[in-house]
């Protein structure tokens, strides 16, 4: 019917989806935002929840709260299982269908175990709040169990923490776990010396932070080793079990393993039956539409698109946000019968990774930074991009407390499995 608002469905309340909605404010549209979780996560700091540095509420916000000032936006909690592109409908797990005129897929990514999904129970990845609290529980329970263990070999395995993959997440996890054991937990235990905990970072490639310049990569490796992290390079993991990891043909006994080695896109390409790269990401057109479907946009970790340097646009928050802004511009132009914007052009704003307290690396392209100055810039940048003033103040105070007192207040063992719960009750 003439005059009816244009119906937009956005799948995924990550950085890209929210940015697109933000820049569609005031347009003659009705937006339905659907996500299988009721909260938006600031993923760059998710590892700090996993390592007891921050609480979940400091880096996550209810989606409905974020959309409360947008009456044209309807928020739905639901899981998308498919797309009927011919009928222009999004299919939900409960059987419901959402009709759209324009669809924005911002469905993110999941863990990739390179054909070994059976490793996931033993080596969880880090993509959601549930992942972070699971990892935090396993790390803290390892120390609790080690405090009571009388068998030296079992105790050593409990105090061995393996991180698979030396990208930014792996590096940040390794450095923070090492500091947790060395600085935070040492005064709290009586039978074990937490300084003796082993943190092992295993990388199949020849260096850590492969996407960074060589000098920053070398600095990162040296900094991790100075924190007590064992960095193992050129060693692909061939097995993960409840007893440990196998690399180089040898088993390293370890009861806590974290997977940071790779990701795979959501099944959006399978829903549409369109070409995808080896990681399942949709190969989109230069205007971020799905080939053969100009009414469907895909952004963020869901897509594969070459950047200005010929390399794929990285799956990081700034790239998703830029894509969200661009898609909103294209939709506005279409609604106004105006000329389409030029093809999407990703502008890399820099790569940042924290190693530990007063240690970080930053690559802005035109300048490279390391050490304390990089750490301060890293912290300020992350605080700035948090959504609320309350979160900014809370995170800043938490980091100040960690920096001055070596205390991490989020050391709660929660949401345990039956086995973990029964053990925790005896501790």
């Amino acid at each position: 019917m003439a005059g009816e608002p244009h119906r937009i469905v956005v799948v995924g309340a990550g950085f890209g989806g929210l940015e697109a909605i933000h820049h569609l404010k005031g347009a003659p549209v009705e937006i339905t935002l659907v996500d299988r979780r009721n909260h938006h996560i600031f993923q760059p700091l998710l590892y700090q929840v996993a390592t007891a540095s921050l609480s979940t509420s400091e880096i996550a916000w209810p989606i409905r709260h974020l959309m409360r000032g947008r009456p044209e936006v309807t928020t739905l909690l639901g899981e998308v299982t498919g797309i009927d592109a011919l009928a222009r409908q999004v299919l939900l797990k409960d059987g419901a269908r959402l009709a759209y005129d324009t669809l924005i897929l911002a469905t993110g990514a999941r863990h990739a175990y390179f054909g070994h999904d059976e490793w996931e129970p033993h080596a969880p990845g880090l993509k959601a709040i549930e992942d972070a609290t699971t990892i935090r529980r396993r790390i803290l329970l390892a120390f609790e169990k080690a405090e009571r263990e009388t068998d030296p070999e079992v105790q050593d395995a409990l105090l061995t923490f393996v991180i698979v993959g030396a990208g930014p997440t792996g590096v940040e996890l390794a450095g923070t776990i090492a500091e947790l054991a060395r600085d935070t937990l040492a005064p709290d235990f009586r039978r074990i010396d937490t300084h003796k905990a082993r943190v092992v970072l295993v990388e199949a490639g020849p260096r850590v932070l492969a996407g960074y310049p060589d000098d920053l990569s070398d600095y990162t490796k040296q900094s991790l080793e100075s924190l007590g992290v064992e960095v193992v390079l050129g060693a692909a993991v061939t097995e993960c079990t409840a007893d440990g990891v196998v690399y180089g043909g040898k088993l390293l006994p370890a009861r806590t393993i974290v997977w940071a080695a790779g990701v795979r896109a959501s099944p959006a390409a399978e829903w549409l039956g369109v070409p995808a790269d080896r990681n399942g990401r949709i190969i989109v057109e230069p205007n971020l539409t799905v080939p053969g479907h100009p009414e469907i946009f895909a952004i963020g970790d869901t897509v594969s698109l070459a950047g200005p340097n010929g390399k794929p646009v990285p799956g990081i928050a700034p790239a998703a946000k830029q894509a969200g802004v661009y898609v909103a511009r294209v939709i506005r132009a279409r609604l106004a019968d105006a000329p389409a914007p030029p093809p999407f052009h990703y502008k890399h704003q820099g790569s940042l990774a924290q190693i530990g307290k007063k240690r970080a690396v930053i690559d802005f392209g035109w300048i490279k930074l390391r050490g304390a100055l990089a750490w301060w810039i890293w912290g300020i940048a992350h605080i700035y991009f948090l959504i609320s003033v309350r979160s900014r103040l809370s995170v800043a105070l938490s980091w100040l407390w960690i920096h001055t007192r070596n205390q991490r207040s989020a050391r709660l063992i929660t949401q345990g499995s039956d086995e973990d719960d029964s053990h925790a009750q005896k501790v």
Side-chain angles (χ1 to χ4, degrees), residues 32-54:
T32 300
L33 171 60
V34 58
D35 197 292
R36 62 180 179 175
R37 294 182 175 87
N38 82 325
H39 52 269
H40 166 74
I41 307 167
F42 190 77
Q43 279 199 340
L45 293 181
L46 197 56
Y47 81 94
Q48 295 221 347
V49 173
T51 52
S53 300
L54 297 175

Side-chain angles (χ1 to χ4, degrees), residues 187-205:
D188 295 353
F189 289 86
R190 302 295 177 262
R191 297 181 180 178
I192 60 172
D193 180 1
T194 62
H195 291 90
K196 295 181 179 179
R198 293 180 65 187
V199 181
V200 184
L201 180 63
V202 183
E203 167 59 41

Side-chain angles (χ1 to χ4, degrees), residues 236-257:
V237 169
T238 56
E239 190 171 358
C240 293
T241 70
D243 296 320
V245 297
V246 176
Y247 60 86
K250 296 181 179 179
L251 170 68
L252 172 63
R255 296 297 172 83
T256 306
I257 309 167

